[in-house]
Amino acid sequence: GTGPVWEMPVQDLKVALFRGRAADLGLEAEALAARAVAEYERFQPKVLSWHDYQYLTFWFFGGMEKEGGDGAKSFFQGGDRAGTRAMFADDAFFEAAAALLKQRARRMHCINLTYFIWTFARAGIVVPDLMQVVGDDFCNSGKIPMCDRCSLGTMVWNFSKCNIRHDRLFELVAAELVRPNRLRSLAPRNFQNSIIAYSRMAHWHEKLVDALARGIVRLVDAHDPRYPKSDRSVLFSYTCRDGTEVPA
């Protein structure tokens, strides 16, 4: 693309949108959406968690509130509905992004697509036909086994947050979650997001419930209650772009 949206670094775009300067700088919604999709299409996930995506996601302003002294918002939590909506770009951006994603979802890595859709879900932007396209793509393209431990639970969480049913997706994700190697890799937040998603959607899967219960017991038994996170000997940590490690 060409124009100011494509010339500005991602961090500058984030600051401009956060400060409400999009119109002053000629940053149009359609161009912003195209830049967002392009960034996510070409990104190759390495950390396999949200930690690196925050540097790409210029339409999410979590953490920037610290400039005003309000403190950072977290990935899944933060404030009331109005406050949460203010953490993201405006509706025009999401409308334009949805139109592009419906055409190009299959071109995006499944982990990237999960976090892009997370921004819709977290912002309260519900686009049923987009969610249908994304769910079908996950089911038909073999992407589910390619998900890392966070994106697997986050995608079904996205659907539950939007209150959109996709029973085939939930069945296939459940089949992946109960695999022994996959189950052993799950971090506490992955158990949490998966249980929330299946509970919200009243999607019963007996083997999944049994597997998650067993997995939680294993983690709790191995956990040192003096610390808030799991030891590296129990679960592998996340390594961020700057080389620092974030325990799971």
Side-chain angles (χ1 to χ4, degrees):
T2 59
V5 167
W6 297 90
E7 295 166 1
M8 294 175 66
V10 164
Q11 186 58 32
D12 290 350
L13 286 174
K14 184 188 285 274
V15 172
L17 294 179
F18 175 66
R19 294 179 176 172
R21 299 193 60 209
D24 295 340
L25 297 173
L27 309 179
E28 298 179 349
E30 290 76 11
L32 287 165
R35 174 73 184 274
V37 171
E39 291 290 343
Y40 266 51
E41 281 187 1
R42 62 174 169 246
F43 181 67
Q44 293 297 315
K46 297 178 182 179
V47 174
L48 305 183
S49 80
W50 171 252
H51 296 100
D52 271 3
Y53 287 90
Q54 60 186 311
Y55 300 105
L56 294 176
T57 314
F58 58 80
W59 58 101
F60 171 62
F61 316 132
M64 299 188 72
E65 296 85 350
K66 287 187 289 187
E67 295 182 6
D70 295 329
K73 300 291 192 294
S74 69
F75 182 56
F76 281 99
Q77 299 175 339
D80 57 24
R81 181 173 299 179
T84 299
R85 183 65 190 86
M87 292 162 59
F88 296 89
D90 61 20
D91 289 1
F93 166 83
F94 282 101
E95 291 171 5
L100 282 175
L101 286 171
K102 281 185 279 188
Q103 302 173 25
R104 303 181 65 88
R106 60 185 177 84
R107 298 172 179 264
M108 195 173 289
H109 193 287
C110 55
I111 301 176
N112 303 354
L113 184 56
T114 295
Y115 288 120
F116 206 126
I117 296 301
W118 174 85
T119 65
F120 280 81
R122 194 70 179 84
I125 305 295
V126 179
V127 186
D129 53 346
L130 169 62
M131 299 301 286
Q132 186 67 43
V133 167
V134 169
D136 290 349
D137 177 61
F138 262 58
C139 293
N140 298 332
S141 64
K143 286 181 174 178
I144 290 173
M146 296 170 58
C147 289
D148 70 312
R149 64 185 179 187
C150 284
S151 62
L152 190 62
T154 299
M155 183 54 91
V156 288
W157 183 93
N158 290 338
F159 275 80
S160 73
K161 184 68 167 63
C162 294
N163 195 28
I164 300 290
R165 296 200 68 87
H166 199 300
D167 290 342
R168 185 180 174 213
L169 173 66
F170 274 60
E171 285 293 307
L172 292 176
V173 169
E176 177 65 21
L177 285 169
V178 302
R179 287 197 307 109
N181 285 346
R182 175 70 80 172
L183 185 65
R184 284 194 295 270
S185 77
L186 299 181
R189 72 188 68 179
N190 310 140
F191 286 98
Q192 168 189 282
N193 296 335
S194 300
I195 291 170
I196 288 173
Y198 283 82
S199 175
R200 277 179 177 166
M201 302 311 295
H203 190 109
W204 175 249
H205 193 289
E206 185 173 357
K207 289 184 178 180
L208 175 62
V209 173
D210 179 68
L212 293 179
R214 286 185 283 105
I216 290 170
V217 170
R218 185 187 69 83
L219 278 187
V220 171
D221 286 348
H223 179 63
D224 187 336
R226 295 176 298 171
Y227 303 104
K229 298 288 188 176
S230 299
D231 189 80
R232 293 183 184 88
S233 64
V234 178
L235 281 173
F236 64 87
S237 300
Y238 301 105
T239 302
C240 295
R241 187 177 65 172
D242 61 4
T244 59
E245 286 192 4
V246 179

